[in-house]
Amino acid sequence: MRVGIGLPAAVPDTDATVIGRWAAESEERGFASLGVIDRLVYDNLDPLVALAAAAARTERVELLTTVLNAGYRGNPVLLAKQIGSLERLCAGRLTVGLGMGGWPEDYAASGAPTTGRGAAFEAGLAAMRAVWRGETSGASGPVPALPEGRPGLLLAGLVPAGFARAARLSDGWVAPSFGLRTLEQGVEAVHREWALAARPGRPRIIVERYFCLGPGAAQTAEAYVAHYYGPDYLPHILPDLLTDPDRLHLEIERLAAAGADDLVLLPCSGDPRQIGLLADALDQTRRTPAMEATP
């Protein structure tokens, strides 16, 4: 299972200028990917802007949105242009995880409708793919096409229609950041829908977990997820927080056994020392079967 690290772009009060340094050091320490999550009404950087900063400081590591909420980004041609620009900036290292977004305040602030979201999402995705194929033209010619199959595309979703959409229209599924049983059920559903769609190969499954290591890690992690998710979701998040190397090792084994291909570990702190602490903890377990391709 490949292991990546999240950028601290959604950790409140993090100095935004640390993103490039974080990305460069993470690549140097051998992480497979750099991930970023998305909110609109929150103290965070826009995911595509954060990944552009990471692209400028890296050369090899995969860049991931896990996920970019497209439901309230009302102009799919503009969004395709932004994503395509990032794909060109990073020389083909971008994989876009897309979702509809579930925070009601984000929809309210953007004025986007909350009805008909599935149909609008699929129509928007079709429009974006037309841009990436070079089929959108103006007086000066078309928007340049990206190489076939680029950028990489994954979809999120936790209902039957979402699993089917991920299997029909993308390279795989982005699972939530908590809940082992949710992951297991989603993996089963996406593989089933993949077979029904007669897709060759197998879907890629990415899962996320929150981590914090070092002195005061548990308190820092709990304070962050309580702030980000609020009291309603907090009880569901806490059991999956990773705040010590032994717990990290156990969770990697469990997620790999559940069918995840990639794990993105999202930071609860913007302190760059978290990169080294995590890489060192992973180094201790890299000889286990679940860690064949980890840093």
Side-chain angles (χ1 to χ4, degrees), residues 79-126:
L79 181 57
K81 178 80 171 187
Q82 293 168 331
I83 291 170
S85 297
L86 178 55
E87 168 76 359
R88 294 167 69 184
L89 282 170
C90 71
R93 293 183 282 130
L94 177 63
T95 295
V96 181
L98 292 178
M100 295 184 196
W103 296 97
E105 60 265 34
D106 290 349
Y107 274 86
S110 61
T114 57
T115 58
R117 293 191 299 172
F121 183 86
E122 292 198 20
L125 183 56

Side-chain angles (χ1 to χ4, degrees), residues 122-205:
E122 292 198 20
L125 183 56
M128 287 191 282
R129 280 193 154 137
V131 174
W132 298 333
R133 290 193 299 263
E135 298 172 2
T136 304
S137 297
S140 300
V143 177
L146 297 177
E148 184 176 356
R150 300 303 309 164
L153 180 66
L154 305 166
L155 299 183
L158 286 174
V159 298
F163 298 135
R165 190 177 294 118
R168 287 188 296 108
L169 301 177
S170 79
D171 305 320
W173 180 57
V174 181
S177 54
F178 56 92
L180 180 64
R181 187 57 183 148
T182 299
L183 171 64
E184 292 171 336
Q185 292 173 336
V187 168
E188 181 181 355
V190 172
H191 277 270
R192 182 173 60 249
E193 294 292 343
W194 191 273
L196 288 173
R199 298 283 305 274
R202 58 189 298 275
R204 182 182 182 186
I205 308 293

Side-chain angles (χ1 to χ4, degrees), residues 36-38 44-52 65 67-68 73 86:
V36 65
I37 57 178
D38 191 13
N44 65 302
L45 300 179
D46 178 85
L48 298 179
V49 173
L51 287 181
T65 62
V67 296
L68 181 72
R73 298 173 189 262
L86 178 55

